[in-house]
Amino acid sequence: MTEKPPVSIFGLGYVGLTFAATLASRGFKVVGYDIDEGKLELIKRGKSPFYEPGLEELLAKAVSDGNLTVTRDPGEAVAGTDATFITVGTPEGLDGRADLTQLHSALKDLGKGLANKRSWHLVVIRSTVPPGTSRSAAKLLEEMTGKRCGVDFGLCMNPEFLREGNAVEDNLNPDRVVIGECDKRSGDFLEGFYKAFLGERLPPILRTSLENAELIKYANNAFLAMKISFINMIANLCERIPYADVEEVARGIGLDKRIGPYFLKAGLGWGGSCFPKDLKALLRVGEDVGVDLPLVRATVEVNERQPYKAVEFAERALGDLRGKRVAVLGLAFKPNTDDMRGAVSIKIVNKLVEKGAVVVVYDPKAMPNAKRIFGDKVEYAESALDAIRGADCAIFVTEWDEFKSLKLGEVAKLMKNPIIIDGRRIFDPRTIPPTVKYYAIGLGWR
Ligand code: UDX
């Protein structure tokens, strides 16, 4: 293997494009392929089709340096590179199973290029796929090309653990690299590739079977989501206990090294493009092999109810919501992204509208996506203060930094009723001015 082998990336979404840009920034030659021509045109101009901190700077440089090119011809992408990473989406299918349509079409595109290639080529599945999928993919490629996996080409399953809003940093500083391999040569190649990419920052590398690598990804997401649902369950208990506060409880248990402080932030529930669909897919995997997964089921159940806590607080404060003006602040599923996939804000806004409230929304980045989702059901504000002005109640749904600096005393003066619902524990309860009626997740009455 050359020190930095040229690679192709099939699927230029969050995972693929941030991976492509960070590899190119480390001097790799990267060829990107996607079926969306509009996306390719943007990338060619060094522009990102979505917001992700630090990405556009990297992209612009990668394209102008010539390290990142894009093509509409998958055969050309395979011919000119030593390995192809598949990073297409595996969204939730109708029955909750992972929808593998994009993976199958990427494999077909890849297979055509592979059939014509004389030299060995490595295929790396980086998309999240149910156990058994990578082995089936190897068989499909064998049938398409007449070549043998483990001899004429290699295949690895290499899950990613990127967080949106942190994807560039996470690509460069992973906690570990998991390599599921169909044969030793494939695993050796991918290990060498990561050594060249991450250099001194190389984390532990785990070499394992294809199926274990697939399971690690699902188990990882399920465990993280379970931690959040656990603390949300404790938050709901805290609210009924005078002087209790889930933030303190989380701090206390997080100091136990066996538990750790991460993913114990109580709030209105988890959303996003991964947790919701991956937990559902994992439940389906269990069903398909006849194994009940009660902790995963409970994790999902707790999360399905959690967003409605915001509406319950509003009703507790205002009674009937009909005709009440409610400001919803923060729509993205978490800060530093414009992504609203699986965002809890969608459930909250829809429920408020259903109850007859006049809803005005604001998000620092997600307004274009919000307009596509909510249409004319809601009003759109230009700023947080604009949303709050004249409102009967303000609900904070995403913990954007710009909300943290709001002075609640000033905010209260703008509102018709100074009712603040803190769905993400943005504000310190000890500093709430007496003029504000403050409700927060996990805060007991006092
Ligand atoms: C997640 C995983 O972290 C990542 O490893 C995987 O590859 C993809 O899914 P992401 O969806 O980008 O990443 O966001 P993450 O930061 O994990 O947050 C997911 C959701 O959980 C968000 O809605 C967030 O608000 C919520 N969350 C997270 C909490 O409510 N409390 C927490 O303590 C942490």
PDB file of all heavy atoms in Angstrom, residues 210-230:
ATOM      1  N   LEU A 210     -17.178  -9.038  10.626  1.00  0.00           N
ATOM      2  CA  LEU A 210     -18.099  -8.073  10.010  1.00  0.00           C
ATOM      3  C   LEU A 210     -19.325  -7.879  10.905  1.00  0.00           C
ATOM      4  O   LEU A 210     -19.776  -6.749  11.138  1.00  0.00           O
ATOM      5  CB  LEU A 210     -18.562  -8.589   8.635  1.00  0.00           C
ATOM      6  CG  LEU A 210     -17.478  -8.752   7.564  1.00  0.00           C
ATOM      7  CD1 LEU A 210     -18.053  -9.450   6.328  1.00  0.00           C
ATOM      8  CD2 LEU A 210     -16.891  -7.392   7.162  1.00  0.00           C
ATOM      9  N   GLU A 211     -19.846  -8.979  11.426  1.00  0.00           N
ATOM     10  CA  GLU A 211     -21.081  -8.917  12.212  1.00  0.00           C
ATOM     11  C   GLU A 211     -20.867  -8.173  13.532  1.00  0.00           C
ATOM     12  O   GLU A 211     -21.724  -7.403  13.967  1.00  0.00           O
ATOM     13  CB  GLU A 211     -21.619 -10.333  12.490  1.00  0.00           C
ATOM     14  CG  GLU A 211     -22.227 -11.020  11.268  1.00  0.00           C
ATOM     15  CD  GLU A 211     -21.196 -11.464  10.230  1.00  0.00           C
ATOM     16  OE1 GLU A 211     -19.980 -11.477  10.535  1.00  0.00           O
ATOM     17  OE2 GLU A 211     -21.607 -11.802   9.101  1.00  0.00           O
ATOM     18  N   ASN A 212     -19.712  -8.410  14.177  1.00  0.00           N
ATOM     19  CA  ASN A 212     -19.450  -7.685  15.428  1.00  0.00           C
ATOM     20  C   ASN A 212     -19.362  -6.186  15.181  1.00  0.00           C
ATOM     21  O   ASN A 212     -19.851  -5.386  15.980  1.00  0.00           O
ATOM     22  CB  ASN A 212     -18.155  -8.174  16.076  1.00  0.00           C
ATOM     23  CG  ASN A 212     -18.322  -9.527  16.732  1.00  0.00           C
ATOM     24  OD1 ASN A 212     -19.437  -9.914  17.067  1.00  0.00           O
ATOM     25  ND2 ASN A 212     -17.229 -10.247  16.921  1.00  0.00           N
ATOM     26  N   ALA A 213     -18.730  -5.817  14.071  1.00  0.00           N
ATOM     27  CA  ALA A 213     -18.603  -4.383  13.759  1.00  0.00           C
ATOM     28  C   ALA A 213     -19.998  -3.779  13.551  1.00  0.00           C
ATOM     29  O   ALA A 213     -20.300  -2.682  14.041  1.00  0.00           O
ATOM     30  CB  ALA A 213     -17.745  -4.187  12.512  1.00  0.00           C
ATOM     31  N   GLU A 214     -20.858  -4.512  12.860  1.00  0.00           N
ATOM     32  CA  GLU A 214     -22.228  -4.016  12.636  1.00  0.00           C
ATOM     33  C   GLU A 214     -22.958  -3.858  13.965  1.00  0.00           C
ATOM     34  O   GLU A 214     -23.646  -2.854  14.207  1.00  0.00           O
ATOM     35  CB  GLU A 214     -22.981  -5.005  11.733  1.00  0.00           C
ATOM     36  CG  GLU A 214     -22.446  -5.022  10.312  1.00  0.00           C
ATOM     37  CD  GLU A 214     -22.876  -6.250   9.495  1.00  0.00           C
ATOM     38  OE1 GLU A 214     -23.128  -7.319  10.083  1.00  0.00           O
ATOM     39  OE2 GLU A 214     -22.923  -6.147   8.257  1.00  0.00           O
ATOM     40  N   LEU A 215     -22.791  -4.860  14.848  1.00  0.00           N
ATOM     41  CA  LEU A 215     -23.478  -4.826  16.149  1.00  0.00           C
ATOM     42  C   LEU A 215     -22.929  -3.740  17.062  1.00  0.00           C
ATOM     43  O   LEU A 215     -23.672  -3.127  17.834  1.00  0.00           O
ATOM     44  CB  LEU A 215     -23.351  -6.189  16.838  1.00  0.00           C
ATOM     45  CG  LEU A 215     -24.337  -7.247  16.323  1.00  0.00           C
ATOM     46  CD1 LEU A 215     -23.908  -8.638  16.752  1.00  0.00           C
ATOM     47  CD2 LEU A 215     -25.750  -6.955  16.811  1.00  0.00           C
ATOM     48  N   ILE A 216     -21.623  -3.516  16.985  1.00  0.00           N
ATOM     49  CA  ILE A 216     -21.009  -2.480  17.845  1.00  0.00           C
ATOM     50  C   ILE A 216     -21.697  -1.139  17.595  1.00  0.00           C
ATOM     51  O   ILE A 216     -22.027  -0.403  18.522  1.00  0.00           O
ATOM     52  CB  ILE A 216     -19.482  -2.397  17.605  1.00  0.00           C
ATOM     53  CG1 ILE A 216     -18.791  -3.606  18.248  1.00  0.00           C
ATOM     54  CG2 ILE A 216     -18.902  -1.085  18.152  1.00  0.00           C
ATOM     55  CD1 ILE A 216     -17.330  -3.798  17.854  1.00  0.00           C
ATOM     56  N   LYS A 217     -21.940  -0.833  16.334  1.00  0.00           N
ATOM     57  CA  LYS A 217     -22.565   0.457  16.022  1.00  0.00           C
ATOM     58  C   LYS A 217     -23.968   0.563  16.638  1.00  0.00           C
ATOM     59  O   LYS A 217     -24.319   1.548  17.280  1.00  0.00           O
ATOM     60  CB  LYS A 217     -22.615   0.653  14.509  1.00  0.00           C
ATOM     61  CG  LYS A 217     -23.375   1.881  14.055  1.00  0.00           C
ATOM     62  CD  LYS A 217     -22.738   3.171  14.544  1.00  0.00           C
ATOM     63  CE  LYS A 217     -23.655   4.352  14.349  1.00  0.00           C
ATOM     64  NZ  LYS A 217     -23.234   5.313  13.407  1.00  0.00           N
ATOM     65  N   TYR A 218     -24.783  -0.471  16.457  1.00  0.00           N
ATOM     66  CA  TYR A 218     -26.145  -0.426  17.013  1.00  0.00           C
ATOM     67  C   TYR A 218     -26.126  -0.410  18.540  1.00  0.00           C
ATOM     68  O   TYR A 218     -26.868   0.332  19.188  1.00  0.00           O
ATOM     69  CB  TYR A 218     -26.973  -1.622  16.518  1.00  0.00           C
ATOM     70  CG  TYR A 218     -27.520  -1.408  15.124  1.00  0.00           C
ATOM     71  CD1 TYR A 218     -26.980  -2.070  14.035  1.00  0.00           C
ATOM     72  CD2 TYR A 218     -28.572  -0.527  14.896  1.00  0.00           C
ATOM     73  CE1 TYR A 218     -27.476  -1.865  12.755  1.00  0.00           C
ATOM     74  CE2 TYR A 218     -29.070  -0.308  13.622  1.00  0.00           C
ATOM     75  CZ  TYR A 218     -28.519  -0.980  12.555  1.00  0.00           C
ATOM     76  OH  TYR A 218     -29.001  -0.761  11.294  1.00  0.00           O
ATOM     77  N   ALA A 219     -25.274  -1.255  19.138  1.00  0.00           N
ATOM     78  CA  ALA A 219     -25.226  -1.334  20.600  1.00  0.00           C
ATOM     79  C   ALA A 219     -24.727  -0.006  21.179  1.00  0.00           C
ATOM     80  O   ALA A 219     -25.189   0.454  22.224  1.00  0.00           O
ATOM     81  CB  ALA A 219     -24.326  -2.483  21.035  1.00  0.00           C
ATOM     82  N   ASN A 220     -23.789   0.614  20.487  1.00  0.00           N
ATOM     83  CA  ASN A 220     -23.241   1.897  20.928  1.00  0.00           C
ATOM     84  C   ASN A 220     -24.347   2.959  20.993  1.00  0.00           C
ATOM     85  O   ASN A 220     -24.523   3.641  22.005  1.00  0.00           O
ATOM     86  CB  ASN A 220     -22.168   2.332  19.920  1.00  0.00           C
ATOM     87  CG  ASN A 220     -21.120   3.234  20.525  1.00  0.00           C
ATOM     88  OD1 ASN A 220     -20.141   2.737  21.067  1.00  0.00           O
ATOM     89  ND2 ASN A 220     -21.321   4.528  20.450  1.00  0.00           N
ATOM     90  N   ASN A 221     -25.086   3.078  19.886  1.00  0.00           N
ATOM     91  CA  ASN A 221     -26.149   4.090  19.854  1.00  0.00           C
ATOM     92  C   ASN A 221     -27.244   3.769  20.871  1.00  0.00           C
ATOM     93  O   ASN A 221     -27.774   4.664  21.525  1.00  0.00           O
ATOM     94  CB  ASN A 221     -26.743   4.195  18.441  1.00  0.00           C
ATOM     95  CG  ASN A 221     -25.943   5.160  17.579  1.00  0.00           C
ATOM     96  OD1 ASN A 221     -25.034   5.826  18.065  1.00  0.00           O
ATOM     97  ND2 ASN A 221     -26.264   5.232  16.309  1.00  0.00           N
ATOM     98  N   ALA A 222     -27.575   2.481  21.010  1.00  0.00           N
ATOM     99  CA  ALA A 222     -28.639   2.103  21.948  1.00  0.00           C
ATOM    100  C   ALA A 222     -28.211   2.427  23.382  1.00  0.00           C
ATOM    101  O   ALA A 222     -29.002   2.908  24.189  1.00  0.00           O
ATOM    102  CB  ALA A 222     -28.966   0.618  21.809  1.00  0.00           C
ATOM    103  N   PHE A 223     -26.945   2.189  23.700  1.00  0.00           N
ATOM    104  CA  PHE A 223     -26.470   2.455  25.058  1.00  0.00           C
ATOM    105  C   PHE A 223     -26.496   3.957  25.361  1.00  0.00           C
ATOM    106  O   PHE A 223     -26.940   4.381  26.443  1.00  0.00           O
ATOM    107  CB  PHE A 223     -25.063   1.895  25.265  1.00  0.00           C
ATOM    108  CG  PHE A 223     -24.675   1.855  26.710  1.00  0.00           C
ATOM    109  CD1 PHE A 223     -25.013   0.758  27.490  1.00  0.00           C
ATOM    110  CD2 PHE A 223     -24.017   2.920  27.315  1.00  0.00           C
ATOM    111  CE1 PHE A 223     -24.696   0.733  28.846  1.00  0.00           C
ATOM    112  CE2 PHE A 223     -23.700   2.898  28.656  1.00  0.00           C
ATOM    113  CZ  PHE A 223     -24.030   1.796  29.427  1.00  0.00           C
ATOM    114  N   LEU A 224     -26.033   4.762  24.408  1.00  0.00           N
ATOM    115  CA  LEU A 224     -26.041   6.216  24.618  1.00  0.00           C
ATOM    116  C   LEU A 224     -27.469   6.732  24.796  1.00  0.00           C
ATOM    117  O   LEU A 224     -27.759   7.529  25.696  1.00  0.00           O
ATOM    118  CB  LEU A 224     -25.362   6.924  23.438  1.00  0.00           C
ATOM    119  CG  LEU A 224     -23.853   6.702  23.307  1.00  0.00           C
ATOM    120  CD1 LEU A 224     -23.334   7.298  21.998  1.00  0.00           C
ATOM    121  CD2 LEU A 224     -23.113   7.319  24.489  1.00  0.00           C
ATOM    122  N   ALA A 225     -28.356   6.269  23.931  1.00  0.00           N
ATOM    123  CA  ALA A 225     -29.758   6.705  24.023  1.00  0.00           C
ATOM    124  C   ALA A 225     -30.368   6.237  25.350  1.00  0.00           C
ATOM    125  O   ALA A 225     -31.169   6.952  25.967  1.00  0.00           O
ATOM    126  CB  ALA A 225     -30.557   6.157  22.845  1.00  0.00           C
ATOM    127  N   MET A 226     -29.951   5.053  25.806  1.00  0.00           N
ATOM    128  CA  MET A 226     -30.467   4.523  27.077  1.00  0.00           C
ATOM    129  C   MET A 226     -30.017   5.406  28.245  1.00  0.00           C
ATOM    130  O   MET A 226     -30.780   5.655  29.176  1.00  0.00           O
ATOM    131  CB  MET A 226     -29.981   3.090  27.264  1.00  0.00           C
ATOM    132  CG  MET A 226     -30.533   2.404  28.490  1.00  0.00           C
ATOM    133  SD  MET A 226     -30.021   0.686  28.580  1.00  0.00           S
ATOM    134  CE  MET A 226     -28.278   0.867  28.929  1.00  0.00           C
ATOM    135  N   LYS A 227     -28.766   5.890  28.188  1.00  0.00           N
ATOM    136  CA  LYS A 227     -28.299   6.788  29.253  1.00  0.00           C
ATOM    137  C   LYS A 227     -29.190   8.030  29.314  1.00  0.00           C
ATOM    138  O   LYS A 227     -29.583   8.481  30.390  1.00  0.00           O
ATOM    139  CB  LYS A 227     -26.836   7.237  29.000  1.00  0.00           C
ATOM    140  CG  LYS A 227     -25.789   6.296  29.540  1.00  0.00           C
ATOM    141  CD  LYS A 227     -24.389   6.903  29.415  1.00  0.00           C
ATOM    142  CE  LYS A 227     -23.846   7.433  30.740  1.00  0.00           C
ATOM    143  NZ  LYS A 227     -22.433   7.881  30.633  1.00  0.00           N
ATOM    144  N   ILE A 228     -29.510   8.578  28.138  1.00  0.00           N
ATOM    145  CA  ILE A 228     -30.325   9.809  28.122  1.00  0.00           C
ATOM    146  C   ILE A 228     -31.738   9.511  28.626  1.00  0.00           C
ATOM    147  O   ILE A 228     -32.286  10.248  29.454  1.00  0.00           O
ATOM    148  CB  ILE A 228     -30.390  10.426  26.706  1.00  0.00           C
ATOM    149  CG1 ILE A 228     -28.994  10.660  26.145  1.00  0.00           C
ATOM    150  CG2 ILE A 228     -31.157  11.741  26.740  1.00  0.00           C
ATOM    151  CD1 ILE A 228     -28.979  11.015  24.666  1.00  0.00           C
ATOM    152  N   SER A 229     -32.332   8.412  28.137  1.00  0.00           N
ATOM    153  CA  SER A 229     -33.690   8.086  28.603  1.00  0.00           C
ATOM    154  C   SER A 229     -33.685   7.809  30.103  1.00  0.00           C
ATOM    155  O   SER A 229     -34.639   8.144  30.813  1.00  0.00           O
ATOM    156  CB  SER A 229     -34.260   6.881  27.842  1.00  0.00           C
ATOM    157  OG  SER A 229     -34.720   7.289  26.568  1.00  0.00           O
ATOM    158  N   PHE A 230     -32.612   7.216  30.597  1.00  0.00           N
ATOM    159  CA  PHE A 230     -32.517   6.939  32.034  1.00  0.00           C
ATOM    160  C   PHE A 230     -32.561   8.251  32.831  1.00  0.00           C
ATOM    161  O   PHE A 230     -33.347   8.399  33.766  1.00  0.00           O
ATOM    162  CB  PHE A 230     -31.230   6.169  32.354  1.00  0.00           C
ATOM    163  CG  PHE A 230     -31.062   5.907  33.817  1.00  0.00           C
ATOM    164  CD1 PHE A 230     -31.671   4.809  34.403  1.00  0.00           C
ATOM    165  CD2 PHE A 230     -30.338   6.783  34.618  1.00  0.00           C
ATOM    166  CE1 PHE A 230     -31.554   4.593  35.774  1.00  0.00           C
ATOM    167  CE2 PHE A 230     -30.228   6.572  35.974  1.00  0.00           C
ATOM    168  CZ  PHE A 230     -30.825   5.466  36.557  1.00  0.00           C
TER     169      PHE A 230
END
